[in-house]
């Protein structure tokens, strides 16, 4: 059998896994999920949709597209859906990718980018973070005439840092008009710093900016897989074109529509997470840790060569964190009990 050579060097995506303490306690803080189960109205929509799954889903995702367009006040044909925004990012890469094409992104950033770039057969150009944040000046310099796409993960996964209005504007001024800038805003709902611009504002001002959003985090539907892009018609159309037919399931579409209707309830939960985020970061700082300011639902600890040891230590307390060996650990903000378990583990880590 013969496979593409790139498969030999492709990183393998490691999903966050559960760990259990000797006393049976288990807290999953490794995948930035919502700790809350879906609200009753969303569960009811899922139940109803489940009775119809002998039929194929609506391939055009009409109701959901309409609901998103209405919610954000954008034209219907500026919205493109996919089974999770990871897949929407993949669709975007498929739409621009051919041999020789370059995609620029910060590193470390979202671990899916290198994987998706490899799969699309494009060349990754990684620009190191500066002080745990995007180095947008260096990213602008990394753009060549082969660049077709730049990912800006805002806030950045896994460091939680966010790029601000002035630096983003200066960066966008330097990006050629034919290069797409994809603002990955998976954590937008958790942003509280008013100087971090809403990507939709930038999309309205700049035709080459597209925004990626997801129902997986704040909207609590990680298990159902729904994400979307908002961008100019040309970009949305290209992304729609390369979507595998029927990729967003009927149940997922129905649940996402219901989640938008239950938005107030869901955003109130986001507020709780944001409060917990402040509590967790303050407690960590009090314990003597260095924690970059975070606008997302996780914190980042740069542990260097002690990262694996830290993850194993937390696992003994039943707390699963996300280690990036040699670099650091990302820890999701959960409910108060989960966060307390993590804070106890962090306090007792021998330093
Ligand atoms: C979680 C996450 C996503 C969303 O992934 P889905 O495929 O929608 O579940 C996208 N981008 C980043 C940076 C993320 O962390």
């Amino acid at each position: 059998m013969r496979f593409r050579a790139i498969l030999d060097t492709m990183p393998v995506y490691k999903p966050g896994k559960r760990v259990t303490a000797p006393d049976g306690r288990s807290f999953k803080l490794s995948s930035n999920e919502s700790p809350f189960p879906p609200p009753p109205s969303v569960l009811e929509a899922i139940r109803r949709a489940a009775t119809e799954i002998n039929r194929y889903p609506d391939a055009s995702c009409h109701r959901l597209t309409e609901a998103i367009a209405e919610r954000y006040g954008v034209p219907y044909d500026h919205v493109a859906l996919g089974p999770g925004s990871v897949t929407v990012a993949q669709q975007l890469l498929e739409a621009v990718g051919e041999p020789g094409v370059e995609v620029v992104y910060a590193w470390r950033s979202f671990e899916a980018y290198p994987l998706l770039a490899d799969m699309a057969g494009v060349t990754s150009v990684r620009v190191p973070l500066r002080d745990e944040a995007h180095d947008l000046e260096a990213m602008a310099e990394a753009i060549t005439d082969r660049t077709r796409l730049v990912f800006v993960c805002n806030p950045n996964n896994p460091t939680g840092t966010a790029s601000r209005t002035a630096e983003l504007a200066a960066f966008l001024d330097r990006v050629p008009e034919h290069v797409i800038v994809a603002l990955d805003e998976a954590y937008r709902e958790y942003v509280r710093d008013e100087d971090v611009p809403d990507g939709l504002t930038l999309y309205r001002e700049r035709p080459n900016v597209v925004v990626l959003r997801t129902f997986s985090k704040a909207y609590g539907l990680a298990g159902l897989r729904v994400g979307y892009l908002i961008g100019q018609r040309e970009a949305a159309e290209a992304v729609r074109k390369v979507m595998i037919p029927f990729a967003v399931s009927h149940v997922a579409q129905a649940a996402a529509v219901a989640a938008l209707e239950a938005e107030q309830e869901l955003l109130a939960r986001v507020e709780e997470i944001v409060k917990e985020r402040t509590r967790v970061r303050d407690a960590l700082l009090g314990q003597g840790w260095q924690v970059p300011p975070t606008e997302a639902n996780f914190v980042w600890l740069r542990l260097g060569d002690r990262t694996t040891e830290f993850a194993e230590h937390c696992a003994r307390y039943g707390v699963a964190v996300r280690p990036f060996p040699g670099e650091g650990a990302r820890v999701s903000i959960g409910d108060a009990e989960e966060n307390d378990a993590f804070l106890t583990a962090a306090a007792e880590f021998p330093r």
Side-chain angles (χ1 to χ4, degrees):
M1 292 182 274
R2 291 181 181 173
F3 299 99
R4 289 167 57 193
I6 192 81
L7 265 64
D8 297 335
T9 55
M10 255 173 74
V12 177
Y13 182 83
K14 294 183 204 74
K17 48 181 188 297
R18 275 204 172 277
V19 297
T20 309
D23 64 5
R25 302 206 306 168
S26 175
F27 307 103
K28 189 163 178 283
L29 299 180
S30 54
S31 297
N32 301 341
E33 297 147 331
S34 166
F36 308 105
S41 63
V42 174
L43 280 176
E44 182 48 36
I46 290 171
R47 222 186 321 267
R48 226 177 310 124
T51 65
E52 300 160 344
I53 55 172
N54 52 312
R55 304 290 178 193
Y56 279 105
D58 171 10
S60 70
C61 305
H62 175 69
R63 270 186 70 209
L64 179 54
T65 305
E66 198 170 56
I68 292 168
E70 195 170 303
R71 164 68 181 82
Y72 294 106
V74 302
Y76 182 93
D77 60 3
H78 284 208
V79 180
L81 282 142
S85 65
V86 168
T87 313
V88 179
Q90 179 184 23
Q91 289 164 219
L92 196 52
L93 279 158
E94 297 285 350
V96 300
E98 52 201 352
V101 166
E102 293 175 355
V103 54
V104 174
Y105 51 86
W107 201 250
R108 172 159 296 272
S109 187
F110 189 30
E111 62 261 49
Y113 299 150
L115 232 131
L116 301 177
D118 285 356
M119 288 200 280
V122 303
T123 304
S124 283
V125 177
R126 299 177 179 190
V127 179
L129 298 175
R130 197 177 60 191
D131 299 331
E132 310 292 10
H134 277 59
D135 184 347
L136 289 171
E137 275 181 41
M139 288 179 73
E141 271 150 37
I143 294 172
T144 71
D145 55 7
R146 295 178 297 280
T147 310
R148 289 193 185 169
L149 177 63
V150 182
F151 283 112
V152 175
C153 191
N154 202 30
N156 188 45
N157 176 0
T159 57
T161 51
S163 303
R164 299 200 166 72
T165 303
E167 54 175 329
L168 268 167
F171 166 73
L172 291 169
D173 283 344
R174 291 180 63 185
V175 179
E177 280 170 15
H178 61 270
V179 174
I180 300 171
V181 177
L183 294 175
D184 187 342
E185 294 193 327
Y187 303 98
R188 175 64 211 172
E189 294 80 6
Y190 300 95
V191 172
R192 291 295 176 272
D193 181 341
E194 285 176 13
D195 197 22
V196 176
D198 184 324
L200 293 176
T201 307
L202 299 173
Y203 133 85
R204 288 188 174 93
E205 297 166 353
R206 317 228 182 200
N208 60 333
V209 169
V210 303
V211 176
L212 301 178
R213 298 260 177 108
T214 179
F215 284 92
S216 295
K217 307 285 160 55
Y219 292 83
L221 295 178
L224 276 177
R225 320 300 307 123
V226 196
Y228 57 97
L229 168 146
I230 294 178
Q232 296 304 309
R233 188 176 46 79
E234 215 183 329
E237 216 167 65
V239 166
R240 230 178 281 125
K241 218 172 207 174
V242 298
M243 182 176 95
I244 306 289
F246 308 119
V248 184
S249 79
H250 179 57
V251 176
Q253 291 182 40
V257 170
L260 281 175
E261 280 163 9
E263 193 169 45
Q264 289 320 313
E265 199 174 345
L266 290 164
L267 294 182
R269 295 162 163 199
V270 167
E271 200 52 48
E272 276 182 56
I273 295 293
V274 168
K275 287 206 185 86
E276 279 294 292
R277 169 176 84 193
T278 305
R279 182 177 76 87
V280 168
R281 180 164 180 267
D282 288 350
L284 289 170
L285 294 175
Q287 291 178 14
W289 295 94
Q290 286 191 5
V291 192
T294 172
E295 293 294 319
N297 64 342
F298 50 83
V299 290
W300 171 248
L301 300 173
R302 189 161 285 279
L303 290 141
D305 55 16
R306 297 199 69 193
T307 300
T308 304
E309 187 189 341
F310 181 78
E312 286 166 356
H313 169 85
C314 289
R316 287 194 285 278
Y317 293 74
V319 178
V321 303
R322 176 65 64 104
F324 297 94
E327 295 176 66
R330 187 193 70 200
V331 188
S332 310
I333 304 297
D335 62 26
E337 186 194 3
E338 296 173 304
N339 299 333
D340 284 342
F342 165 62
L343 288 172
T344 302
E348 291 172 10
F349 184 64
R351 279 186 289 158

